[in-house]
């Protein structure tokens, strides 16, 4: 009987410790392949860490369009991690195979529930969207009509 009471007391104590443990930030992964980031768009919470891994054969990097983070050269199988403390929309690109403004090899990390970057205020993060086949019948037509950036 004494052994059962001790086991029950230990189980209750352990359950209390588990419940009282603080929530841990999550880790999300993005794979840099040759010419693309997979997944191109991810959603995380403030305090979460994103890790990019170069699974391609070429050197890549992860460069925030705003300049807030830069990985440096990521050779094949190399990793880079960044923790996102503040809510926001963070566009990034590979400076070898893309450019700021969603050109070439790019991605976006959405942290929390920020206001959309298309707020109509004409800010730096505002990016017009062209829909195919809504605005243009073909991708070629949309590309021809698109302005740089």
């Amino acid at each position: 009987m004494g052994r059962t009471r001790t086991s029950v007391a230990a189980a209750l104590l352990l359950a209390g410790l588990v419940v009282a443990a603080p929530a841990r930030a999550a880790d999300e992964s993005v794979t840099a392949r040759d010419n693309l980031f997979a997944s191109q768009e991810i959603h995380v919470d403030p305090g979460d860490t994103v890790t990019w891994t170069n699974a391609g054969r070429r050197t890549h990097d992860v460069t925030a369009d705003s300049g807030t983070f830069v990985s440096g050269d990521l050779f094949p199988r190399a990793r880079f991690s960044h923790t996102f403390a503040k809510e926001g929309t963070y566009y990034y690109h590979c400076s070898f195979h893309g450019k700021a403004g969603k050109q070439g090899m790019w991605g976006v990390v959405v942290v929390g529930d920020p206001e959309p970057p298309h707020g109509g205020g004409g800010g730096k993060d505002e990016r017009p969207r062209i829909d195919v086949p809504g605005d243009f019948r073909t991708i070629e037509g949309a590309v021809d009509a698109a302005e740089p950036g």
Side-chain angles (χ1 to χ4, degrees), residues 40 49 58 73 78 86 95 125 134 138 148:
Q40 190 171 44
T49 298
R58 296 189 264 171
D73 291 353
K86 293 173 57 176
S95 67
D125 282 339
T138 66

Side-chain angles (χ1 to χ4, degrees), residues 31-36 53-60 74-78 97 105:
T31 302
R33 300 192 188 283
D34 292 333
N35 300 321
L36 65 92
T53 303
N54 183 355
R57 293 179 298 181
R58 296 189 264 171
T59 301
H60 297 289
L74 294 176
F75 298 102
R77 294 185 300 281
H97 307 105
M105 188 173 171

Side-chain angles (χ1 to χ4, degrees), residues 77-93:
R77 294 185 300 281
R79 294 173 186 244
F80 167 71
S81 295
H82 181 76
T83 300
F84 292 87
K86 293 173 57 176
E87 188 171 79
T89 303
Y90 300 87
Y91 287 91
Y92 63 90
H93 62 280

Side-chain angles (χ1 to χ4, degrees), residues 55-148:
R57 293 179 298 181
R58 296 189 264 171
T59 301
H60 297 289
D61 68 2
V62 180
T63 302
D65 287 10
S66 64
T68 54
F69 57 90
V70 178
S71 67
D73 291 353
L74 294 176
F75 298 102
R77 294 185 300 281
R79 294 173 186 244
F80 167 71
S81 295
H82 181 76
T83 300
F84 292 87
K86 293 173 57 176
E87 188 171 79
T89 303
Y90 300 87
Y91 287 91
Y92 63 90
H93 62 280
C94 170
S95 67
F96 299 108
H97 307 105
K99 294 181 180 178
K102 295 172 40 174
Q103 296 182 45
M105 188 173 171
W106 66 275
V108 63
V109 178
V110 179
V111 181
D113 191 21
E115 289 291 321
H118 306 285
K124 180 180 175 186
D125 282 339
E126 201 163 309
R127 291 169 167 84
R129 181 182 190 128
I130 298 174
D131 290 318
V132 176
D135 297 327
F136 293 90
R137 263 184 14 159
T138 66
I139 292 174
E140 182 178 349
V143 169
D144 291 343
E147 295 192 22

